[in-house]
Amino acid sequence: MILDSLDNSKQYEILHPLFKRAFDFIINTDFSRLKEGKIETDDPRLYYSLVRTHGKDMQDARLESHRKFIDIQAPLVGVESIGWKAGESLMIIAEPYDEKNDIMFYYDYPTTYTKLYPGQFAIYFPDDAHAPGIGMGDIRKIIAKVAVE
């Protein structure tokens, strides 16, 4: 997992060939003009999900992980806490891997929590289980989904 300010995103562009394109879209798009949902690109290895949710309590947030895509999550409105636990220490699968939706859920609890504010981002790799959506009030965020390979 990586947590930083969008102002520092250039430091992470070298980690994946599509990260620069993902960060450019996140930084330069006026999301107030877009509706929630999936945003396709001309490259099937990169798409975005614009999400609006009501914040939930820590105990209601489930750890999830992905195999095919890396998440770059950036809040647009509201403050979101996200739980994290290293993939190698996950013990109890709640829902087996769903290949179509590239997601698996766990009964485990996060070992740490981070707060994300507008202007910040977090990157979750396949080995990073994360429990998103923790907070109060409305949270609106953009998630870049970047294919691992």
Side-chain angles (χ1 to χ4, degrees):
M1 182 203 54
I2 296 170
L3 171 68
D4 205 340
S5 166
L6 285 169
D7 292 338
N8 297 326
S9 63
K10 290 198 181 317
Q11 297 176 32
Y12 305 99
E13 291 174 359
I14 62 167
L15 297 177
H16 191 287
L18 292 173
F19 275 11
K20 179 181 181 348
R21 183 172 176 188
F23 280 120
D24 285 349
F25 181 81
I26 291 168
I27 292 167
N28 297 315
T29 301
D30 179 0
F31 292 103
S32 68
R33 298 181 179 271
L34 298 177
K35 293 182 181 179
E36 285 73 29
K38 187 174 183 178
I39 303 167
E40 301 277 354
T41 70
D42 60 357
D43 188 335
R45 300 172 303 149
L46 175 66
Y47 70 92
Y48 305 90
S49 290
L50 186 55
V51 177
R52 180 184 309 270
T53 187
H54 190 76
K56 54 189 153 198
D57 294 331
M58 283 182 178
Q59 68 270 16
D60 295 327
R62 298 192 314 164
L63 280 168
E64 63 183 58
S65 67
H66 313 287
R67 292 182 183 169
K68 297 177 186 174
F69 286 88
I70 300 163
D71 280 5
I72 302 175
Q73 299 197 17
L76 304 168
V77 174
V79 177
E80 179 182 23
S81 290
I82 301 177
W84 175 88
K85 187 171 187 174
E88 68 268 8
S89 59
L90 293 166
M91 304 291 286
I92 309 167
I93 296 171
E95 292 180 30
Y97 181 68
D98 175 344
E99 187 168 351
K100 180 180 180 231
N101 294 308
D102 186 39
I103 197 162
M104 181 183 289
F105 291 99
Y106 303 89
Y107 285 121
D108 298 62
Y109 291 101
T111 55
T112 191
Y113 293 87
T114 57
K115 273 191 178 176
L116 285 174
Y117 295 85
Q120 296 179 325
F121 70 91
I123 301 174
Y124 297 98
F125 295 93
D127 290 335
D128 296 315
H130 50 287
I134 302 166
M136 297 179 65
D138 286 333
I139 299 168
R140 190 166 194 243
K141 68 180 177 178
I142 185 71
I143 305 167
K145 304 291 280 185
V146 183
V148 173
E149 298 176 2

